[in-house]
Structure formats: structure tokens, C-alpha cells
Amino acid sequence: ALQLASSNDPSVRVARANLDRAEADLQEARSLRRPQLSTFTRFGVGDNGLTDSQIENQIGLRASQRIIDFGDSRLARDAARQDVAAQENLILDARASAALDAGIAYIDWLEARDQLRATEERITYFSRRLSSIDLLLQTGGATRLERAEVASERANAESLRFEFEFRRDQAATRLAIATGDRARPCAGGELLAGYSENDLKTGVLDEMIGEAIDDNPELEALRRTEASLEATARREARGRLPVIDLVGVASYA
């Protein structure tokens, strides 16, 4: 369910699209230091005198290579690389968030299922007790007040059963939407696999929290975004510096 949700969530697809955009920006930044080729054509008509006229056609190729840009292209590449890394971590974060939502829905389903079972046992208990009181009423061993109290408890349990059925179905629907699979959930699995209760009491939980913070993809994405913005700011600060290109033009007229 966690794997299905992490690949089925629309936010993951949005993050992938943003990654494609960032990779395209990186390719554009890399092209700043590559040779640039362009073609051109010209057409002209002019008069040389009273009876003479002239028509000219020209076609040409222009090639340029950036020689000095005072770090502009390097900073553009650095910013683009950091942006790509940020988008990659945002994909991981989107997948983790989708898996988390599916996991919470699964836990909610387990909780509602167990509460429903306990409530059904209460209903069965009060139904048996009510039947016993009905028999005692015939012999004077019980009062109508006692019967009313038991009937009230059973009615309350039945109302809780409807509530827990709704919660169970709601959690199953959330899980089905997250995973894209309408199959009925099944029970099972171990919480905190590989760790015992004693481990959690001896500081392993603190280590787990520290590792979660260090490896959190959202925090890493923010760090990468910060580095990208810093590189962009340095590049913008150098915007007034000249860019020197070596240009060659060949044409045929």
C-alpha cells in the first residue's frame, strides 16, 4: 500500500514535471559556454542612377564562443544544479508524504475495525443480558427500570457500531484512493520492525529522530533551494560586468 501510494499520488507527478523543468534549465545553463551558431539572410534593392538599379541577396553563418563572462555561466550552472537536486528531493518528499497518508489511513482502518469488533461484542453481551432480564421480569426478579438501563446501553453500543463502520469504510476509501487499488485491506505487519521496546527506552528513538531530520528530503530540498538562490543572487550582482565573445561571420553575396 505504501509503494502504490507513493507512485500513484498526483503530487509525485507534479514534482517529476518540475524536475524535468529544472533539468532543462541546467542544459540551458551549460550551453552558455558552448559555441553558438546562427544563420542570416539579407535582401536589398537600390538605385545607382537614372537608368541603373541593383538587387543584392546575401546568406551567411555566424559563429560565436564566449571567452570571458566573469563567472556568469559558472554561477548559472551552480544554481541550476542545486535546483535539480532540490527537485529530486521534493520528489522523495512527495513520495514519503503520499506513503505516510496511506499508512495513516491503514492504521485508522485497523483501529476502526478493532473498535467495531469490541462494540459488536458489547452488543451481544447487552442482548443476552436483556433476554435474561425479560425472563426475570416474568418471575419478578427484575424491574422495568433495570431493563430500560440495559436497553439503553445496547442502543448506545449499536449507535457506536454505526459510527465505527463509517470510520472503517472511510479509512478504506482513503486507502483505496491513495493506492488506486480497491482491494480490501488486510491486517498484519509489525510496528517499528527491528526495534524492541527496550531499544526505544535506551535512546534509539532519539537516534531515529536525528537520522530522520538529517535525511529528511524536504529539509534537503530547502537547503538546495537556498544554495540555488544564493548562486542566482551572486550572478545577478555581476549583471553589470561585460561578457566577451569571439565572433566569426562568413557570408555569400
Side-chain angles (χ1 to χ4, degrees):
L2 302 183
Q3 293 175 352
L4 287 173
S6 64
S7 59
N8 184 65
D9 193 271
S11 61
V12 178
R13 301 174 189 173
V14 174
R16 291 188 185 279
N18 290 333
L19 176 61
D20 293 339
R21 187 265 309 162
E23 290 177 343
D25 291 342
L26 178 58
Q27 291 295 328
E28 181 180 358
R30 287 173 175 170
S31 68
L32 294 175
R33 297 294 297 182
R34 295 172 182 169
Q36 308 292 319
L37 299 177
S38 60
T39 60
F40 64 89
T41 58
R42 293 173 183 170
F43 174 76
V45 177
D47 294 332
N48 291 334
L50 295 176
T51 60
D52 297 332
S53 64
Q54 182 175 345
I55 299 176
E56 291 185 351
N57 298 300
Q58 185 182 28
I59 183 172
L61 177 67
R62 182 180 185 276
S64 63
Q65 173 64 55
R66 181 174 294 195
I67 303 300
I68 300 174
D69 60 7
F70 298 95
D72 179 77
S73 59
R74 176 181 60 80
L75 292 173
R77 291 194 302 272
D78 290 345
R81 290 194 190 98
Q82 297 294 342
D83 193 21
V84 169
Q87 296 303 326
E88 290 174 345
N89 281 279
L90 286 177
I91 290 178
L92 295 177
D93 179 64
R95 291 174 62 91
S97 297
L100 176 62
D101 292 339
I104 292 176
Y106 181 70
I107 292 173
D108 290 342
W109 180 83
L110 290 175
E111 181 181 13
R113 184 207 59 177
D114 291 343
Q115 288 175 331
L116 181 59
R117 289 178 178 175
T119 302
E120 289 175 346
E121 292 177 359
R122 289 189 63 196
I123 293 174
T124 301
Y125 165 75
F126 287 122
S127 297
R128 292 176 179 174
R129 188 175 174 185
L130 190 61
S131 299
S132 300
I133 290 179
D134 288 337
L135 294 176
L136 291 174
L137 278 175
Q138 299 175 4
T139 60
T143 64
R144 293 189 178 276
L145 178 60
E146 291 175 344
R147 186 187 187 284
E149 291 176 351
V150 174
S152 175
E153 291 289 346
R154 188 182 69 172
N156 183 44
E158 288 177 346
S159 66
L160 289 176
R161 180 183 64 182
F162 294 137
E163 179 182 353
F164 293 141
E165 286 178 348
F166 171 75
R167 291 184 183 179
R168 180 197 60 187
D169 296 341
Q170 184 185 47
T173 301
R174 286 164 47 204
L175 187 60
I177 293 174
T179 61
D181 189 354
R182 293 288 177 178
R184 183 174 181 271
C186 58
E190 294 292 336
L191 298 179
L192 297 177
Y195 295 95
S196 65
E197 185 176 356
N198 291 331
D199 290 333
L200 299 182
K201 292 180 179 179
T202 56
V204 174
L205 181 59
D206 293 336
E207 296 179 5
M208 292 171 61
I209 294 175
E211 292 174 359
I213 293 176
D214 294 337
D215 298 336
N216 184 273
E218 183 178 7
L219 294 178
E220 181 63 21
L222 291 174
R223 285 191 286 265
R224 295 287 188 170
T225 300
E226 179 188 14
S228 175
L229 293 175
E230 288 178 351
T232 302
R234 291 198 301 271
R235 184 188 181 193
E236 293 295 335
R238 302 184 185 190
R240 289 182 173 273
L241 297 177
V243 175
I244 301 175
D245 292 338
L246 181 64
V247 180
V249 178
S251 63
Y252 174 76

